[in-house]
Amino acid sequence: MTFWEHVKYIFRRIFLPNSLRTMEWQMLKLLNKDRKKYSLKPLRMQEDLRDVARKHSKDMARKDYFEHENIQGKTPFERLEEARVTDVVAGENLAKIRGYKNPVVEAEIGLMNSPGHRANILHKEYNAVGIGIIKSVDQSFYYTQNFAARDLIFKKKFPKKTTLKKGLRVRGQVFTSATKIIYQVKRQIKDEKPLFEEIVYLNKRNFDFNIYFKDTGIFNVLIYIDNGDGKTFKAVNKFEIKVRKGWW
């Protein structure tokens, strides 16, 4: 939780203590409190993960089920991929609770007392999480936690389509000691050679660059960062985008 996120959380705890959004931030505080006991780094709340978590909690609450796999048979990983979350995501926790004065506290205690859920909360490689809390008509609270081990985060979700002139702006921050990014543009992921690629140097841990496409169609963008040595790279993200000619 950043300084400003902490300020917003305190404001919400004072003026909107019972809102679902406030409860999500409260659960993040409890998650990080549990991790701190074991000398683990705190988790950062990520909006794309949070959006997927909320949608699953909402789906469970509306359709009255409680499973990692939804009614359509989609797994957590398939739901994340459908939402264009394509970096390394490795765990999901679920909880359902009703009738407690402090439901978030009780839910977190229950998760920590469950070996599988506890393992996700205390996984040393995780550095990001999305928490979604929904209240059903029978006053039950549904909790979804989606965990990730991320090397970088983006400022905003990528659009599904763009135009040749507009291109694609890519902004964000890396969590590691990387010094540069390489992006590649391919027609198909399996293509051996990219249509084009470029190296982008980081400003401290921040990046902000534009990708301009040379033709219309559907393309795959692959993002790599170096391992801190400036020489070896690893893939950290990929996504698909449709490019059209547009009017301007």
Side-chain angles (χ1 to χ4, degrees), residues 3-241:
F3 172 76
W4 287 113
E5 287 172 343
H6 182 72
V7 170
K8 290 178 183 178
Y9 169 71
I10 296 299
F11 177 88
R12 297 188 69 89
R13 285 285 287 173
I14 295 172
F15 297 103
L16 299 166
N18 297 317
S19 80
L20 296 176
R21 187 176 288 268
T22 301
M23 292 170 69
E24 289 169 354
W25 285 109
Q26 182 187 4
M27 178 163 270
L28 177 67
K29 296 281 285 187
L30 294 174
L31 279 171
N32 285 332
K33 184 178 180 181
D34 286 330
R35 287 175 64 87
K36 187 176 181 179
K37 293 176 184 177
Y38 295 88
S39 302
L40 297 172
K41 292 181 179 179
L43 302 172
R44 293 266 309 267
M45 184 82 88
Q46 300 288 278
E47 287 304 313
D48 56 350
L49 296 172
R50 193 183 196 183
D51 184 53
V52 175
R54 280 178 179 165
K55 286 180 178 177
H56 188 55
S57 290
K58 188 175 184 178
D59 193 58
M60 290 190 294
R62 283 186 172 181
K63 298 177 182 177
D64 191 26
Y65 72 96
F66 183 64
E67 299 287 344
H68 290 286
E69 190 173 295
N70 67 18
I71 299 297
Q72 290 74 38
K74 292 180 180 177
T75 67
F77 304 102
E78 289 171 329
R79 293 195 298 274
L80 288 159
E81 185 174 358
E82 187 178 73
R84 295 164 65 80
V85 180
T86 56
D87 53 356
V88 180
V89 181
E92 181 180 83
N93 281 352
L94 301 180
K96 178 183 177 182
I97 198 167
R98 181 177 64 177
Y100 288 92
K101 184 178 180 180
N102 296 306
V104 176
V105 174
E106 294 297 331
E108 182 65 15
I109 290 173
L111 290 169
M112 282 294 288
N113 287 335
S114 167
H117 297 109
R118 180 188 179 92
N120 277 334
I121 293 171
L122 301 181
H123 197 299
K124 65 179 182 179
E125 299 299 326
Y126 293 162
N127 56 14
V129 69
I131 300 169
I133 303 175
I134 296 294
K135 191 176 184 180
S136 67
V137 292
D138 71 352
Q139 306 303 301
S140 294
F141 288 95
Y142 288 78
Y143 303 80
T144 301
Q145 301 171 339
N146 286 123
F147 297 91
R150 287 190 149 169
D151 292 294
L152 58 79
I153 58 172
F154 298 105
K155 291 285 187 182
K156 59 188 296 186
K157 275 186 176 182
F158 293 117
K160 293 184 179 180
K161 56 187 177 182
T162 188
T163 63
L164 283 172
K165 186 172 183 180
K166 186 177 180 181
L168 179 68
R169 188 177 183 184
V170 181
R171 293 183 295 162
Q173 185 181 56
V174 299
F175 281 122
T176 67
S177 58
T179 61
K180 62 182 79 168
I181 286 174
I182 289 181
Y183 71 81
Q184 294 182 338
V185 176
K186 296 182 176 183
R187 286 283 185 184
Q188 302 290 335
I189 292 289
K190 63 182 180 181
D191 291 347
E192 185 175 345
K193 292 185 178 180
L195 297 172
F196 61 94
E197 65 180 18
E198 187 173 330
I199 295 177
V200 178
Y201 289 87
L202 299 172
N203 179 11
K204 295 183 179 178
R205 292 190 175 183
N206 301 304
F207 55 88
D208 186 349
F209 60 91
N210 291 290
I211 300 176
Y212 291 104
F213 299 87
K214 302 174 182 179
D215 198 2
T216 59
I218 297 175
F219 299 92
N220 286 279
V221 179
L222 293 85
I223 308 289
Y224 303 82
I225 61 172
D226 71 274
N227 291 305
D229 57 8
K231 297 178 181 179
T232 58
F233 291 81
K234 62 179 177 178
V236 293
N237 205 286
K238 64 180 185 298
F239 56 90
E240 185 180 86
I241 189 165

